[in-house]
Amino acid sequence: MEINEFIGVPLILFMIFVAPIWVIMHYRSKNKMSEGLSDTELAQLNDLANRAEKMADRIKTLEAILDAESPNWRREHEHS
């Protein structure tokens, strides 16, 4: 078996079967990324943003309650 057969046959098979699929998948994914978010993805992102804002408001409320009831709670938990 010559070195050309050892390298050449797998290289030819790669160029015929794998490389075209690889190139097609690469440009398909690149095209999909340039399209941006779909309507459902945008709706999910907006829903998550709203939930995050509500969560931040709840945390602020809880911290205000803790500040009123136990002014030293922040220092007590920093040392833990």
Side-chain angles (χ1 to χ4, degrees), residues 33-48:
M33 285 176 48
S34 68
E35 290 177 3
L37 297 176
S38 69
D39 291 340
T40 56
E41 292 170 332
L42 189 58
Q44 288 174 339
L45 185 61
N46 286 331
D47 182 49
L48 287 173

Side-chain angles (χ1 to χ4, degrees), residues 15-76:
M15 294 301 289
I16 291 173
F17 296 107
V18 178
I21 294 171
W22 190 357
V23 170
I24 290 168
M25 296 302 286
H26 169 73
Y27 283 106
R28 185 179 292 170
S29 68
K30 201 170 192 177
N31 187 26
K32 191 168 190 138
M33 285 176 48
S34 68
E35 290 177 3
L37 297 176
S38 69
D39 291 340
T40 56
E41 292 170 332
L42 189 58
Q44 288 174 339
L45 185 61
N46 286 331
D47 182 49
L48 287 173
N50 289 336
R51 288 181 185 197
E53 287 178 20
K54 288 179 185 177
M55 185 78 80
D57 290 342
R58 289 177 181 170
I59 290 171
K60 286 179 186 175
T61 302
L62 288 172
E63 287 178 341
I65 292 169
L66 284 170
D67 286 338
E69 290 183 4
S70 179
N72 296 325
W73 73 272
R74 291 179 198 259
R75 279 184 265 147
E76 292 171 2

